[in-house]
Amino acid sequence: MTIIIANRRSKPENLRKKHGESIEIIDVTSKADQPWVKFSPFWPHGNIPVPFSDGIYGTCVEGIWQALKVFDSEDIDPLKLSITNMKGLKRTVRRLGQIRGHQKGLDGDELLQYRAARELIYLPAYLWVLENSLIDELDQLRDIATKKDVVLLDYQTNGDLDNLKTPLSHAALIKRYLENDWPTS
């Protein structure tokens, strides 16, 4: 099974030149078609446990990630946990000032720095989605990957938990999950 991560802006003809004519190109972003759009962290699967928040659930992984961000001018935003239309989820430094960290749970008093937040908030939330909401889609990907190489398209291509210069690619996490190489500390 060969799974390749590429930027969504890559032209299919360039990907085929680089990786072969018979590759299967699958977009897993919020702009993808069904069923692959369900891999987007913005997709509203619902009932995703919010790490360090007993009995609290988020609609999507991105909503959990954004809800727990703490900025210079704004605290956490629990309303992000219930957004179902994949819009209005992002909270940015341009609007809210520098990010101070991610709060460790809705009622927590500890701020996690970026690397720790990736490991303790983003990874568990996305893993929960893979293992509880995307079983059929993962089986489809595995089946395709047994027949041909698969290129997963994402806006980010960073699969290294420790590379804090660019956002983590959920496509890279899908690849790592399918290859039994889920990131651990």
Side-chain angles (χ1 to χ4, degrees):
M1 168 174 17
T2 300
I3 300 173
I4 300 149
I5 307 304
N7 190 290
R8 185 182 190 277
R9 293 174 188 90
S10 302
K11 293 182 177 174
E13 57 271 18
N14 292 342
L15 290 171
R16 291 188 196 295
K17 272 186 215 169
K18 184 175 182 179
H19 302 292
E21 286 298 318
S22 65
I23 59 171
E24 184 78 22
I25 301 171
I26 300 174
D27 184 349
V28 291
T29 70
S30 59
K31 304 290 185 199
D33 294 326
Q34 288 284 357
W36 311 120
V37 66
K38 294 178 186 177
F39 283 100
S40 168
F42 290 77
W43 185 261
H45 292 283
N47 298 315
I48 305 165
V50 176
F52 309 104
S53 306
D54 289 342
I56 306 293
Y57 300 89
T59 303
C60 66
V61 173
E62 189 66 25
I64 293 169
W65 181 250
Q66 296 294 333
L68 295 175
K69 267 188 194 174
V70 176
F71 294 85
D72 281 341
S73 68
E74 190 171 289
D75 204 5
I76 63 169
D77 184 356
L79 295 176
K80 299 296 181 188
L81 297 174
S82 59
I83 293 175
T84 59
N85 65 0
M86 298 179 22
K87 296 181 187 336
L89 285 162
K90 292 282 191 180
R91 299 170 71 213
T92 64
V93 295
R94 194 172 335 140
R95 236 178 5 101
L96 303 170
Q98 288 302 307
I99 298 170
R100 293 182 41 228
H102 281 74
Q103 188 166 295
K104 190 175 178 181
L106 278 182
D107 296 322
D109 54 9
E110 182 181 344
L111 274 185
L112 300 170
Q113 294 309 304
Y114 192 39
R115 168 60 172 80
R118 277 183 173 182
E119 181 180 346
L120 300 174
I121 296 170
Y122 194 88
L123 288 181
Y126 198 72
L127 180 61
W128 188 93
V129 166
L130 291 174
E131 292 184 336
N132 293 276
S133 300
L134 294 170
I135 296 164
D136 292 342
E137 291 80 5
L138 285 166
D139 285 344
Q140 288 178 55
L141 272 179
R142 277 187 200 95
D143 184 55
I144 294 166
T146 62
K147 297 172 183 141
K148 55 175 84 174
D149 292 349
V150 172
V151 176
L152 296 179
L153 301 179
D154 193 355
Y155 290 107
Q156 304 295 329
T157 59
N158 174 25
D160 181 359
L161 196 61
D162 294 315
N163 177 355
L164 305 179
K165 292 179 181 163
T166 60
L168 200 55
S169 162
H170 68 278
L173 293 177
I174 297 164
K175 170 185 168 68
R176 292 187 72 171
Y177 183 82
L178 290 170
E179 294 174 347
N180 296 312
D181 182 34
W182 190 255
T184 57
S185 51

